[in-house]
Amino acid sequence: MTAVIFDMDGTLFQTDLILEWALEETFVQLRELGKWENETPIALYRKIMGVPLPVVWETLLPNHPQEDRDFADGYFLDKLLVAIQTDQGALYPNAKELLEKLACSGFQLFIASNGLTRYLQTIVDHYGLAECITETFSIQQIDSQNKSDLVGSILLKYNLNAGAVVGDRLSDILAAKDNHLKAIGCRFDFSDREELAQADFIVDDLMEADQILNRLFVRNN
């Protein structure tokens, strides 16, 4: 079997549709608690999009105690879950169709994300992705908080040594290369041109990945 490991935010799921609202709600709450006075740092968050949430709050709340960061983290997650469940978010065009086609072609599909387990599972459940995805992995499951290690743990668990990582950020590309997989970069909302230049392939539409993957691996499935 050949593995195709997908990032979630900015690759399968259009996080930008719910990000600004959830972050604004979180900082409104922090203001009401007297813990924040300035504008919501949405632009700063967009620059670091894709890093683990502990790093997010260390960056957005650098002078706050850990207690405040933990509160913001939990509140933000709750708002994201509400947004997903009330259809404020969406998958990228052709996301589910791609997963279905790849599964039918014999690929073994996974999600590996810096998102939290509850967040990822809410997306998988809400959009019915479980029928295509073998397992969803969160960065919470490993101590290193490194996506390369997370992808490596998938390959080890399922005894896989060939395939690709599909994602929009440098951490996805490095996770592929560190594990001797092909890197498919998605030129979507949070992607960076210099980061994508390090990928083996770049797509502007997820369905383009179907052609690439079948050309590379279909004979091995």
Side-chain angles (χ1 to χ4, degrees):
M1 297 292 289
T2 302
V4 185
I5 302 171
F6 289 88
D7 176 45
M8 180 64 87
D9 292 323
T11 299
L12 293 177
F13 184 69
Q14 297 186 61
T15 316
D16 62 314
L17 296 179
I18 65 173
L19 172 64
E20 183 171 337
W21 176 79
L23 200 65
E24 183 61 50
E25 289 292 307
T26 300
F27 277 85
V28 165
Q29 185 65 20
L30 289 173
R31 291 187 195 97
E32 290 180 357
L33 295 172
K35 297 179 182 296
W36 188 260
E37 296 179 354
N38 303 317
E39 294 182 357
T40 301
I42 292 174
L44 178 56
Y45 186 36
R46 285 183 174 271
K47 291 181 180 179
I48 61 172
M49 180 66 187
V51 303
L53 278 174
V55 178
V56 168
W57 301 113
E58 289 171 6
T59 304
L60 299 187
L61 302 172
N63 300 317
H64 286 66
Q66 189 60 43
E67 179 182 359
D68 290 349
R69 295 175 185 169
D70 290 343
F71 171 81
D73 187 54
Y75 196 90
F76 180 62
L77 175 60
D78 287 342
K79 291 300 179 182
L80 287 175
L81 298 186
V82 169
I84 294 165
Q85 293 165 340
T86 56
D87 289 316
Q88 295 182 51
L91 297 178
Y92 276 98
N94 297 321
K96 192 166 185 181
E97 291 81 357
L98 172 64
L99 297 178
E100 291 171 346
K101 286 194 69 173
L102 292 177
C104 288
S105 296
F107 291 97
Q108 195 160 5
L109 310 182
F110 303 90
I111 291 170
S113 171
N114 285 334
L116 301 182
T117 302
R118 283 179 59 208
Y119 168 74
L120 298 173
Q121 196 58 52
T122 300
I123 296 174
V124 169
D125 291 344
H126 189 72
Y127 294 101
L129 304 184
E131 60 192 40
C132 302
I133 299 295
T134 299
E135 189 171 352
T136 298
F137 290 80
S138 165
I139 203 70
Q140 283 183 295
Q141 295 172 238
I142 57 171
D143 294 331
S144 70
Q145 299 287 290
N146 183 294
K147 183 167 275 192
S148 293
D149 293 339
L150 184 61
V151 168
S153 72
I154 297 172
L155 301 180
L156 181 62
K157 178 175 180 178
Y158 286 90
N159 193 28
L160 299 164
N161 57 19
V165 176
V166 182
D168 66 316
R169 299 309 302 263
L170 183 60
S171 60
D172 304 305
I173 296 168
L174 294 179
K177 294 185 177 297
D178 289 344
N179 288 284
H180 309 290
L181 305 176
K182 294 297 183 181
I184 299 177
C186 297
R187 191 160 26 217
F188 297 164
D189 299 291
F190 299 109
S191 63
D192 177 90
R193 184 173 62 181
E194 293 183 1
E195 293 181 1
L196 289 181
Q198 300 185 51
D200 297 302
F201 304 92
I202 300 173
V203 300
D204 295 294
D205 184 294
L206 281 171
M207 200 54 72
E208 295 173 29
D210 177 64
Q211 301 171 11
I212 294 168
L213 290 164
N214 276 281
R215 186 169 68 245
L216 290 173
F217 301 113
V218 71
R219 294 178 181 176
N220 296 324
N221 286 328

